[in-house]
Amino acid sequence: MGSYYKLADQVREILNKRDYEARLISTTHKRLALRREAEALENYQELREKIREAKQKVIKNLDYYLGRLRYNLESKNIKVFLAKDRFEALNYILNLAKEKGVKKVVKSKSMVSEEIHIREALEQEGIEVFETDLGERILQLAKEKPDHLIAPALHKSLDELVDLFTKDLGYPVPRDPEELVKHVRKSLRNEFLSADMNISGINIAVAENGALFIVSNEGNARLGLSLAKVQVVVMGIEKIVPTLEDAFKVLKLLGRSATGQKLPVYVSIIYGAIGNFSDSYKDFHVVIVDNGRSKALKDERFSDALLCIRCGACLNTCPTYRLVGGKLFGDIYTGPIGIPWTYLTTNEEKAVSISPLCVSCGLCEGVCPAKIKIPEMIMWIKEKAIEKDSLPIANRFIARLDSSARLACKFAPILNWLMDKKSFRILMEYFTHLDHRRPFPKYASTPLEEWFKNRKSKVNNPIDKVAYFADIYANYNEPELGIKVTELLEGLDVEVVFPKQMSAGMQMLAYGNIKPALKNIKLNSKSFAEWVKKGYKVVSSEPTAAFCLKLLYHEIYPNEDTEILTKNSFEFFEYLNHLIEKKGLRIKVREEYRNKRLAYHAPCHTKSLFFQWPVMELLKRLSLKVEPIHVTCCGIAGSYGFKKGYEGYEVSMRVGEELFNKIKEIGPDYILTESSVCKMQIEHGAKVKAIHPITLLSINSSI
């Protein structure tokens, strides 16, 4: 547990640097807003699927596509070297530099070159290296690693840049950003003209014809490719796509997902080693690096990592990355996708130690243009953290929520009274590491499962049949919610049953505590699959439970039962919309809410599951005006925000500030959210009443 608590101390240290946090949030927020350009495409979801399919095709047939790419490159006078690790790649490039008498190298942005540490290796051999990407040049001068996949120096302030370039150029540079860039550009121009070698990365390699795509917004990559006689391109096997058509699909989403641009400013396509007017051919080399990537090929749990197109969208949306940045959240590769990439290519131990920074909100998968299963990969790495360092105290308590909630209901009156006492909560924090400042939900004396035992369905001729999955909150804390779900569905002539069930298990899966969670997965999948075989659909009013049933269960425990749940599980409002489409609108909004000012916060797992939010779709059908709030995460992230101090609570509340401030701006009477924990976070942090959207609904008896 030592590394876990050390990580909490590191988080505390970074969060005390408010200016650093402000720069991160400002930059990532702008990129998030701009990337809605991608989502505005009519065929956005279709493009995501096609990119995923194209990249998966290469992964499953790598020898074929790698061979085809190599043949097409070599037929165009490009020398190809396959490096099994960083050392083979370095040796090849260093030997080439010595053979050609290289004294100076210009280099454009390349994450693979960072991964193999080529600049440092060349400098050790006495070769001058100049990073020509502005962000990378800043980091070279500052002797730092990239903070972000796309904007490597986003964490640096203007004052820091002025100091760096004043020292580098030998005279005071202006504080005006545009003027400063002019001075840097002018200083680098001579290095381009006198360089013996250019090193660059690529964004896409096309197997069918050997075309290499390089995109940038500064033009430095194109200039480097145009001048130096010795050209070296360093790439990973994950850059390969089958066809030119696939390449343009990637290109269409790359700019939009990375920076919100319809197209990057410069798109260079290399189609052979043809030189400029003064020489017939350049000495062109492509170094294709494995360096741990084949480990992902052999392990299905991590093969999705090879679908990454390096857009950085997952970093921009990640609630914890936006607070702590790449200094803590990563190694060479940073943010959510950085955890599996660090695990595979550079530092397995580092990946394991930083994996708790992922709060399993699932937002990264929701914005990824290749629909990479990032949370699932991180979950397996978290499991390794448990194997290495045991389970932290708070996580142990949280893992027992099923049994503790059932027991708490038996002593609900006295326990609810105690939970309101600060002294009891402080004592409880000492033993459980659950923060005493976090309000706990009340426990019900009669759980929902007991209510169901004493009743029969009121529907004689059902138009549909539902097996209701309640999860912990609707079962043990607020059974009234489950009763509303049941009565509304029965009012629509839908039969509702309550099968034997445990919690969805996310409170364990979120922390990599997979083995205990398998008990929940096995029981729930077997129990509900039996009802599906009888013609029932599985419906849950808790988005996180729906996320588990629809996505996680089959990924973790693939069998017939979990596959059945994947295909037949619905989030409650998703199901209502389907029902309305088939049977007509028989729901209305309660009159007492018609004239209220309402705003809606979509839970993270709703965003992960749906491109169009089901609650907003339904309320639009009902002609109810509701303002959607566009922020990333409310901060609570399931049970994460309950953990004490910088293990969870402090980070949770800091993440939530953006939402709390937005709510204050809007000034609503109520916030709508279908997540039980989002409701708790909003009421605690924004001091406004939050209600489940089902509260607004009633049966329209006039139809």
Side-chain angles (χ1 to χ4, degrees):
M1 288 184 287
S3 62
Y4 175 83
Y5 297 122
K6 180 182 177 183
L7 183 65
D9 289 338
Q10 291 171 316
V11 169
R12 182 205 309 269
E13 184 180 340
I14 287 179
L15 291 191
N16 285 333
K17 300 174 182 177
R18 274 285 189 171
D19 56 337
Y20 175 65
E21 176 193 339
R23 288 195 295 273
L24 282 169
I25 291 177
S26 173
T27 305
T28 54
H29 182 78
K30 287 175 186 174
R31 290 180 183 273
L32 268 180
L34 288 169
R35 80 167 300 281
R36 294 197 183 110
E37 176 72 34
E39 296 174 355
L41 287 170
E42 285 185 15
N43 62 339
Y44 173 63
Q45 295 295 355
E46 181 186 348
L47 268 175
R48 294 177 78 203
E49 287 291 349
K50 288 183 176 178
I51 289 171
R52 183 175 177 83
E53 288 170 11
K55 301 275 277 183
Q56 281 183 322
K57 190 183 292 185
V58 174
I59 290 172
K60 292 174 182 176
N61 304 278
L62 181 62
D63 289 343
Y64 169 75
Y65 286 108
L66 185 56
R68 197 169 180 199
L69 175 66
R70 183 173 191 171
Y71 172 81
N72 283 316
L73 289 172
E74 290 177 338
S75 69
K76 296 175 177 62
N77 297 301
I78 293 176
K79 301 174 185 70
V80 179
F81 179 72
L82 304 180
K84 69 179 181 182
D85 55 33
R86 62 180 289 258
F87 301 106
E88 284 194 356
L90 287 175
N91 285 337
Y92 181 85
I93 297 169
L94 290 173
N95 288 335
L96 176 65
K98 290 174 184 176
E99 178 191 329
K100 301 297 179 181
V102 171
K103 302 296 183 186
K104 182 184 290 184
V105 173
V106 287
K107 180 178 166 294
S108 59
K109 188 176 182 300
S110 161
M111 292 306 300
V112 181
S113 70
E114 293 281 350
E115 176 188 327
I116 66 174
H117 302 290
I118 185 60
R119 186 182 74 230
E120 294 84 349
L122 288 166
E123 288 173 340
Q124 284 178 6
E125 295 297 322
I127 298 171
E128 281 190 290
V129 183
F130 289 87
E131 295 283 359
T132 61
D133 173 88
L134 180 60
E136 292 290 348
R137 180 64 178 156
I138 291 166
L139 297 183
Q140 182 182 14
L141 296 174
K143 295 181 172 56
E144 295 180 13
K145 294 179 181 179
D147 211 79
H148 190 286
L149 294 177
I150 301 302
L154 67 79
H155 59 293
K156 306 297 283 184
S157 69
L158 181 58
D159 287 338
E160 288 175 300
L161 303 190
V162 169
D163 290 343
L164 281 171
F165 286 114
T166 294
K167 184 178 180 181
D168 178 55
L169 300 179
Y171 61 85
V173 297
R175 289 193 83 262
D176 178 80
E178 288 188 16
E179 290 299 316
L180 189 153
V181 170
K182 286 179 183 178
H183 285 263
V184 177
R185 186 185 296 125
K186 183 179 178 181
S187 73
L188 286 174
R189 188 60 54 91
N190 291 330
E191 314 306 343
F192 277 112
L193 293 169
S194 58
D196 307 300
M197 176 186 282
N198 175 66
I199 298 176
S200 63
I202 64 159
N203 298 87
I204 312 165
V206 182
E208 73 172 355
N209 63 6
L212 304 175
F213 283 63
I214 298 179
V215 306
S216 74
N217 285 324
E218 298 176 26
N220 60 305
R222 181 177 292 181
L223 187 58
L225 287 163
S226 303
L227 295 174
K229 289 188 177 182
V230 181
Q231 295 286 332
V232 178
V233 165
V234 186
M235 60 171 280
I237 56 177
E238 73 278 2
K239 297 295 184 179
I240 304 171
V241 297
T243 69
L244 195 60
E245 184 182 357
D246 295 323
F248 282 108
K249 287 170 186 169
V250 172
L251 197 61
K252 196 167 187 177
L253 284 193
L254 179 58
R256 287 174 165 90
S257 297
T259 58
Q261 296 165 283
K262 291 182 179 178
L263 202 65
V265 177
Y266 297 92
V267 179
S268 303
I269 303 176
I270 304 167
Y271 198 66
I274 298 173
N276 55 31
F277 61 87
S278 65
D279 43 32
S280 55
Y281 289 99
K282 292 185 185 297
D283 191 6
F284 211 114
H285 301 255
V286 172
V287 180
I288 303 176
V289 181
D290 183 331
N291 200 41
R293 288 158 176 79
S294 57
K295 185 168 34 170
L297 288 172
K298 295 171 185 174
D299 190 337
E300 287 187 0
R301 296 176 303 174
F302 296 104
S303 61
D304 252 35
L306 299 179
L307 306 183
C308 181
I309 67 171
R310 300 287 189 274
C311 67
C314 61
L315 284 75
N316 298 333
T317 198
C318 174
T320 43
Y321 172 84
R322 297 174 82 219
L323 286 184
V324 303
K327 284 184 178 294
L328 182 58
F329 203 151
D331 186 38
I332 300 300
Y333 298 100
T334 57
I337 193 63
I339 294 177
W341 270 94
T342 298
Y343 177 78
L344 293 168
T345 63
T346 60
N347 193 331
E348 186 174 312
E349 187 175 332
K350 177 69 178 287
V352 170
S353 69
I354 63 173
S355 61
L357 289 172
C358 166
V359 297
S360 299
C361 63
L363 291 174
C364 49
E365 185 174 346
V367 300
C368 176
K371 302 180 75 171
I372 298 173
K373 301 180 187 302
I374 303 172
E376 289 91 323
M377 289 190 289
I378 297 175
M379 183 182 66
W380 294 113
I381 294 171
K382 287 177 178 177
E383 185 181 41
K384 293 184 178 296
I386 295 172
E387 292 170 1
K388 177 194 169 192
D389 219 11
S390 78
L391 200 61
I393 294 168
N395 295 7
R396 282 185 227 165
F397 184 84
I398 289 165
R400 301 189 184 100
L401 278 181
D402 274 290
S403 55
S404 62
R406 190 173 290 110
L407 182 64
C409 286
K410 294 180 179 179
F411 302 96
I414 190 169
L415 185 59
N416 290 336
W417 178 78
L418 283 170
M419 295 294 266
D420 284 335
K421 303 299 177 186
K422 185 177 179 180
S423 56
F424 178 78
R425 289 298 307 278
I426 291 172
L427 184 65
M428 181 179 167
E429 178 182 300
Y430 178 79
F431 287 105
T432 66
H433 280 217
L434 300 180
D435 202 287
H436 74 274
R437 294 165 292 180
R438 171 68 64 188
F440 261 63
K442 304 295 184 185
Y443 288 98
S445 297
T446 305
L448 185 65
E449 58 194 15
E450 293 297 324
W451 181 80
F452 263 99
K453 284 179 183 177
N454 302 319
R455 75 186 301 273
K456 292 182 179 179
S457 175
K458 297 178 181 179
V459 181
N460 296 319
N461 298 302
I463 60 170
D464 205 3
K465 296 185 288 186
V466 160
Y468 178 45
F469 191 96
D471 212 9
I472 287 179
Y473 184 79
N475 195 355
Y476 300 114
N477 299 107
E478 193 183 340
E480 294 83 3
L481 172 61
I483 292 169
K484 286 175 186 174
V485 168
T486 304
E487 291 179 344
L488 186 72
L489 290 177
E490 288 183 342
L492 296 170
D493 296 322
V494 176
E495 181 188 334
V496 182
V497 296
F498 192 86
K500 182 179 179 182
Q501 59 190 267
M502 298 177 73
S503 72
M506 192 63 179
Q507 74 275 16
M508 292 172 276
L509 297 173
Y511 306 116
N513 202 10
I514 297 170
K515 289 176 183 175
L518 282 173
K519 178 182 177 182
N520 296 51
I521 294 172
K522 290 175 181 178
L523 185 147
N524 291 334
S525 57
K526 186 175 188 299
S527 175
F528 279 84
E530 288 175 0
W531 286 95
V532 172
K533 290 172 186 176
K534 296 175 187 177
Y536 288 74
K537 295 180 178 70
V538 181
V539 173
S540 180
S541 53
E542 189 68 60
T544 296
F547 181 80
C548 290
L549 299 171
K550 290 164 76 73
L551 296 181
L552 283 187
Y553 275 19
H554 193 60
E555 288 289 327
I556 297 162
Y557 188 66
N559 67 6
E560 182 188 357
D561 288 342
T562 54
E563 186 176 7
I564 286 172
L565 289 194
T566 295
K567 294 176 179 177
N568 295 279
S569 295
F570 298 85
E571 187 272 335
F572 176 70
F573 292 97
E574 174 194 19
Y575 175 74
L576 274 187
N577 283 317
H578 285 316
L579 198 65
I580 288 167
E581 286 169 10
K582 290 182 179 180
K583 305 296 181 181
L585 187 64
R586 291 182 52 210
I587 301 172
K588 66 178 181 179
V589 174
R590 296 179 183 275
E591 286 304 317
E592 59 264 37
Y593 293 104
R594 275 286 176 192
N595 297 317
K596 298 294 183 182
R597 187 165 192 185
L598 305 172
Y600 170 65
H601 167 70
C604 291
H605 288 132
T606 294
K607 295 173 188 172
S608 302
L609 285 171
F610 307 107
F611 184 55
Q612 301 290 340
W613 302 335
V615 168
M616 292 302 294
E617 284 187 54
L618 178 64
L619 298 179
K620 185 177 179 181
R621 291 175 191 270
L622 296 171
S623 302
L624 185 67
K625 186 178 179 182
V626 177
E627 183 170 350
I629 304 175
H630 293 286
V631 298
T632 54
C633 175
C634 74
I636 196 166
S639 54
Y640 176 80
F642 285 81
K643 297 194 287 185
K644 80 168 187 176
Y646 288 88
E647 293 177 47
Y649 179 82
E650 294 287 354
V651 179
S652 167
M653 297 307 291
R654 192 72 68 86
V655 170
E657 284 180 4
E658 185 181 7
L659 174 62
F660 306 152
N661 291 333
K662 189 68 179 175
I663 289 171
K664 287 173 185 174
E665 285 177 26
I666 297 170
D669 296 306
Y670 298 103
I671 295 291
L672 306 178
T673 186
E674 61 271 40
S675 165
S676 55
V677 286
C678 290
K679 175 182 183 294
M680 297 176 211
Q681 175 79 334
I682 289 166
E683 292 185 339
H684 179 50
K687 312 301 181 190
V688 64
K689 180 69 175 174
I691 57 176
H692 195 287
I694 195 174
T695 308
L696 277 60
L697 307 179
S698 64
I699 300 299
N700 192 344
S701 56
S702 63
I703 296 178

XYZ file of all heavy atoms in Angstrom, residues 174-215:
327
model
N 10.635 39.053 -26.482
C 9.400 39.734 -26.059
C 8.420 38.790 -25.382
O 8.412 37.583 -25.641
C 8.836 40.268 -27.381
C 9.430 39.408 -28.439
C 10.782 38.997 -27.953
N 7.552 39.333 -24.537
C 6.544 38.527 -23.843
C 5.331 38.253 -24.722
O 4.517 37.406 -24.403
C 6.068 39.216 -22.553
C 7.107 39.232 -21.447
C 6.495 39.639 -20.108
N 5.855 38.525 -19.420
C 4.568 38.263 -19.434
N 3.735 39.017 -20.137
N 4.070 37.243 -18.755
N 5.194 38.977 -25.804
C 4.077 38.735 -26.718
C 4.276 37.367 -27.389
O 5.304 37.136 -28.044
C 4.009 39.827 -27.778
C 2.893 39.579 -28.776
O 1.735 39.889 -28.439
O 3.186 39.051 -29.861
N 3.314 36.431 -27.243
C 3.505 35.067 -27.762
C 3.838 35.019 -29.255
O 4.723 34.268 -29.673
C 2.161 34.395 -27.462
C 1.621 35.129 -26.288
C 2.054 36.552 -26.484
N 3.135 35.806 -30.074
C 3.383 35.773 -31.514
C 4.783 36.264 -31.846
O 5.476 35.693 -32.699
C 2.331 36.611 -32.252
C 0.947 35.970 -32.264
C -0.032 36.721 -33.153
O 0.418 37.544 -33.983
O -1.243 36.489 -33.010
N 5.202 37.327 -31.183
C 6.541 37.855 -31.429
C 7.609 36.879 -30.940
O 8.645 36.689 -31.584
C 6.708 39.212 -30.730
C 5.892 40.335 -31.343
C 6.266 40.591 -32.795
O 7.487 40.626 -33.093
O 5.352 40.727 -33.629
N 7.347 36.253 -29.793
C 8.296 35.276 -29.257
C 8.500 34.133 -30.256
O 9.632 33.707 -30.516
C 7.773 34.750 -27.917
C 8.714 33.864 -27.087
C 8.376 33.971 -25.610
C 8.632 32.395 -27.498
N 7.400 33.634 -30.827
C 7.475 32.533 -31.794
C 8.293 32.940 -33.022
O 9.059 32.144 -33.572
C 6.059 32.074 -32.211
C 6.123 31.118 -33.394
C 5.364 31.391 -31.036
N 8.165 34.178 -33.448
C 8.938 34.653 -34.607
C 10.435 34.546 -34.340
O 11.218 34.147 -35.202
C 8.566 36.101 -34.927
C 7.202 36.263 -35.579
C 6.904 37.744 -35.848
C 5.502 37.917 -36.434
N 5.177 39.356 -36.644
N 10.832 34.906 -33.134
C 12.245 34.826 -32.776
C 12.730 33.376 -32.753
O 13.844 33.082 -33.217
C 12.482 35.480 -31.412
C 12.444 36.973 -31.439
N 13.577 37.749 -31.513
C 11.396 37.850 -31.424
C 13.247 39.027 -31.532
N 11.915 39.119 -31.471
N 11.907 32.480 -32.208
C 12.275 31.065 -32.152
C 12.362 30.500 -33.564
O 13.308 29.768 -33.912
C 11.260 30.266 -31.310
C 11.618 28.778 -31.317
C 11.216 30.793 -29.881
N 11.379 30.832 -34.402
C 11.356 30.338 -35.777
C 12.606 30.788 -36.538
O 13.233 30.017 -37.260
C 10.092 30.831 -36.482
C 9.907 30.243 -37.878
C 8.718 30.839 -38.592
N 7.480 30.523 -37.913
C 6.607 31.433 -37.512
N 6.838 32.719 -37.692
N 5.485 31.063 -36.926
N 12.971 32.048 -36.360
C 14.141 32.590 -37.055
C 15.414 31.860 -36.617
O 16.290 31.547 -37.435
C 14.256 34.090 -36.761
C 15.404 34.764 -37.495
C 15.439 36.261 -37.170
C 16.624 36.930 -37.873
N 16.700 38.380 -37.565
N 15.505 31.574 -35.314
C 16.708 30.897 -34.809
C 16.814 29.468 -35.331
O 17.927 28.951 -35.531
C 16.699 30.894 -33.266
O 15.747 29.977 -32.773
N 15.667 28.809 -35.553
C 15.679 27.422 -36.021
C 15.901 27.313 -37.527
O 16.322 26.260 -38.016
C 14.366 26.725 -35.638
C 14.197 26.351 -34.162
C 12.799 25.799 -33.910
C 15.245 25.326 -33.739
N 15.618 28.386 -38.272
C 15.733 28.319 -39.723
C 17.150 27.918 -40.154
O 17.336 27.087 -41.051
C 15.333 29.668 -40.333
C 15.230 29.666 -41.857
C 14.185 28.653 -42.351
N 12.883 28.829 -41.753
C 11.915 29.594 -42.251
N 12.134 30.288 -43.343
N 10.736 29.647 -41.657
N 18.165 28.478 -39.525
C 19.544 28.134 -39.862
C 19.865 26.679 -39.558
O 20.658 26.045 -40.259
C 20.522 29.044 -39.103
C 20.474 30.478 -39.599
O 20.182 30.720 -40.771
N 20.741 31.422 -38.704
N 19.229 26.150 -38.494
C 19.482 24.745 -38.142
C 18.891 23.817 -39.201
O 19.489 22.796 -39.546
C 18.894 24.420 -36.755
C 19.183 25.424 -35.647
C 20.668 25.726 -35.476
O 21.520 24.961 -35.966
O 20.972 26.762 -34.846
N 17.711 24.147 -39.719
C 17.117 23.371 -40.809
C 18.066 23.332 -42.010
O 18.285 22.284 -42.625
C 15.790 23.994 -41.255
C 14.605 23.610 -40.428
C 13.961 24.553 -39.622
C 14.103 22.320 -40.443
C 12.849 24.209 -38.867
C 13.000 21.970 -39.696
C 12.360 22.915 -38.905
N 18.608 24.503 -42.358
C 19.418 24.626 -43.570
C 20.759 23.903 -43.456
O 21.316 23.447 -44.465
C 19.655 26.106 -43.892
C 18.403 26.896 -44.299
C 18.701 28.386 -44.339
C 17.876 26.414 -45.647
N 21.267 23.787 -42.234
C 22.598 23.187 -42.056
C 22.558 21.763 -41.506
O 23.615 21.159 -41.287
C 23.439 24.074 -41.130
O 22.790 24.244 -39.875
N 21.367 21.205 -41.291
C 21.263 19.861 -40.700
C 21.661 18.779 -41.701
O 21.359 18.861 -42.897
C 19.843 19.618 -40.203
N 22.318 17.753 -41.185
C 22.711 16.607 -42.012
C 21.630 15.527 -42.028
O 21.557 14.732 -42.961
C 24.000 15.985 -41.454
C 25.097 17.009 -41.278
O 25.482 17.627 -42.285
O 25.543 17.196 -40.123
N 20.832 15.494 -40.984
C 19.807 14.438 -40.849
C 18.534 15.042 -40.288
O 18.582 15.941 -39.444
C 20.314 13.319 -39.925
C 19.289 12.219 -39.630
S 19.873 11.004 -38.390
C 20.961 9.993 -39.395
N 17.397 14.539 -40.777
C 16.096 14.897 -40.215
C 15.442 13.635 -39.660
O 15.447 12.582 -40.315
C 15.192 15.501 -41.293
C 13.789 15.782 -40.768
O 13.594 16.620 -39.908
N 12.803 15.044 -41.282
N 14.929 13.728 -38.458
C 14.193 12.610 -37.849
C 12.765 13.059 -37.595
O 12.536 14.125 -37.021
C 14.837 12.155 -36.522
C 16.258 11.648 -36.765
C 14.007 11.058 -35.864
C 17.001 11.264 -35.488
N 11.820 12.259 -38.020
C 10.412 12.604 -37.788
C 9.622 11.345 -37.476
O 10.077 10.221 -37.740
C 9.815 13.307 -39.013
O 9.815 12.445 -40.120
N 8.471 11.551 -36.917
C 7.520 10.460 -36.757
C 6.537 10.513 -37.911
O 6.659 11.352 -38.814
N 5.574 9.619 -37.894
C 4.480 9.695 -38.862
C 3.167 9.450 -38.125
O 3.152 8.932 -37.010
C 4.614 8.677 -40.020
C 4.535 7.245 -39.479
C 5.860 8.908 -40.829
C 4.160 6.258 -40.549
N 2.079 9.819 -38.779
C 0.749 9.604 -38.200
C 0.049 8.389 -38.768
O -0.706 7.717 -38.067
C -0.113 10.854 -38.409
C 0.469 12.062 -37.715
O 1.293 12.769 -38.274
N 0.070 12.301 -36.476
N 0.290 8.112 -40.050
C -0.379 6.986 -40.712
C 0.572 6.394 -41.745
O 1.244 7.129 -42.475
C -1.673 7.435 -41.438
C -2.553 8.304 -40.533
C -2.469 6.233 -41.943
C -3.636 9.073 -41.283
N 0.615 5.057 -41.817
C 1.359 4.349 -42.863
C 0.376 3.441 -43.602
O -0.317 2.638 -42.977
C 2.489 3.525 -42.257
N 0.326 3.580 -44.929
C -0.656 2.845 -45.732
C -0.013 1.594 -46.324
O 0.928 1.693 -47.128
C -1.222 3.734 -46.855
C -2.287 2.969 -47.647
C -1.799 5.019 -46.278
N -0.514 0.439 -45.929
C 0.085 -0.820 -46.367
C -0.044 -1.036 -47.874
O 0.882 -1.528 -48.517
C -0.569 -1.985 -45.613
N -1.175 -0.659 -48.474
C -1.433 -1.015 -49.874
C -0.521 -0.300 -50.864
O -0.323 -0.786 -51.976
C -2.897 -0.747 -50.237
C -3.284 0.703 -50.393
C -4.688 0.889 -50.948
O -5.345 -0.113 -51.300
O -5.144 2.047 -51.016
N 0.045 0.875 -50.479
C 0.900 1.581 -51.431
C 2.148 2.216 -50.821
O 2.931 2.842 -51.526
C 0.097 2.656 -52.174
C -0.446 3.736 -51.244
O -0.145 3.757 -50.044
N -1.249 4.644 -51.789
N 2.330 2.084 -49.502
C 3.527 2.622 -48.868
C 3.501 4.112 -48.595
O 4.534 4.694 -48.239
N 2.350 4.763 -48.732
C 2.255 6.195 -48.447
C 2.389 6.445 -46.943
O 1.811 5.722 -46.130
C 0.935 6.755 -48.957
N 3.148 7.481 -46.596
C 3.344 7.860 -45.199
C 2.764 9.252 -44.982
O 3.137 10.202 -45.678
C 4.833 7.864 -44.844
C 5.612 6.562 -45.093
C 7.093 6.775 -44.800
C 5.062 5.413 -44.256
N 1.854 9.384 -44.016
C 1.207 10.659 -43.724
C 1.860 11.297 -42.495
O 2.002 10.645 -41.458
C -0.276 10.455 -43.415
C -1.153 10.210 -44.612
C -0.978 9.083 -45.407
C -2.159 11.102 -44.947
C -1.793 8.844 -46.503
C -2.978 10.881 -46.043
C -2.803 9.756 -46.822
N 2.226 12.567 -42.615
C 2.724 13.334 -41.475
C 1.892 14.606 -41.366
O 1.789 15.361 -42.337
C 4.210 13.698 -41.642
C 5.058 12.428 -41.721
C 4.683 14.571 -40.480
C 6.538 12.684 -41.906
N 1.273 14.820 -40.200
C 0.446 16.018 -40.019
C 1.072 16.907 -38.948
O 1.690 16.427 -37.994
C -1.011 15.667 -39.634
C -1.623 14.712 -40.642
C -1.088 15.066 -38.241
